[in-house]
Amino acid sequence: MTGTVTYSPAYTLVPTYECFNRCSYCNFRTAPGQSPWMALESAAKILRGLQKQGVCEILILSGEVHPRSPRRDAWFERIYQLCELALKLGFLPHTNAGPLSFAEMERLKSVNVSMGLMLEQLTPELLKTVHQHAPSKMPQLRLQQLEWAGKLQIPFTTGLLLGIGETKTDWWDTLEAIASLHQRWGHIQEVILQPHSPGSQQSFDAPAFNPHQLPEVITQAREILPSDITIQIPPNLVLDPQWLLACIEAGARDLGGISPKDEVNPDYPHLSAPKLIKILEPAGWQLVPRLPVYSQYDNWLTPQLQMAVRQWRRIRKG
């Protein structure tokens, strides 16, 4: 075997698709007030149906309610309750719900084994184009979120969105900012390199990011990022198996959460683990499931979360 490639057996719960941002490449959002919020009863039914299917991670992925909206507290409470429910039913929650306040992050830390937020790109130039109507995509706001995650000792996933109007220099600047924050706090588990992949709902009229460029980006990212940060690529957005293998050879070692539906890129179905094994094994790579928290961060978790993680680690060993 050449080595191992990891993935997380996951399922995504969406508290709401509504979002006050209007990123022109988005295939996820609905306008505020046009998306019903997920009821806890509905979530419980879904989760109970997953209990014997090998799913470990429950990704709580939400559209954003404006920080000053009178509905913000209810929105946050629904996210918190979904995390609590997932834990109660034996899963490990990971929340990605846009920028949160320090107090919101601190509270969610008690019911999440890890959290995430994409930096996307740090160049302010995108505020004039794809992020023109997306107030929460201000680079400093997102950097602050990563800083707070470090201060709160929250194991964190972040990443870049490639091909939305940035330059190569922007890639390296964003990666260097991530590396700097990790060197200070040691909390970045994974960096996702996500190629822009046009979907049926977006208004952004631009081609897909050329997947043939991905190995070059991965190679450079591997040089910039500290060695204990794992590089992740979404395999459903790298459609050519040979280029997926080229990305792994270049240094990507994780394929993210594999679930029935990619909510962010609904036009690109996830490959199942057996299909990925058929691609990887002939090239010498072993596909291995992982938890949504890496073992070096277990002692950052609350006692309740540590107990839940230990149970999953025993299952994996068994």
Side-chain angles (χ1 to χ4, degrees), residues 29-64:
R29 79 177 289 277
T30 61
Q34 292 186 8
S35 170
W37 293 7
M38 175 172 276
L40 294 178
E41 297 78 14
S42 302
K45 185 176 180 181
I46 292 168
L47 293 172
R48 288 192 183 102
L50 296 171
Q51 284 177 319
K52 295 182 180 178
Q53 295 187 29
V55 171
C56 173
E57 174 181 352
I58 298 300
L59 168 59
I60 311 292
L61 179 71
S62 185
E64 301 174 41

Side-chain angles (χ1 to χ4, degrees), residues 15 37 73 85 87 93 135 148 152 177 182 192 203 210 229 242 287 290 300 308 317:
W37 293 7
D73 288 349
L85 179 63
L87 268 176
W148 284 348
L152 288 166
H182 181 73
I192 305 167
S203 60
N210 181 359
I229 294 178
Q242 292 310 309
L287 186 66
R290 63 162 173 82
W300 284 11
K317 283 180 181 175

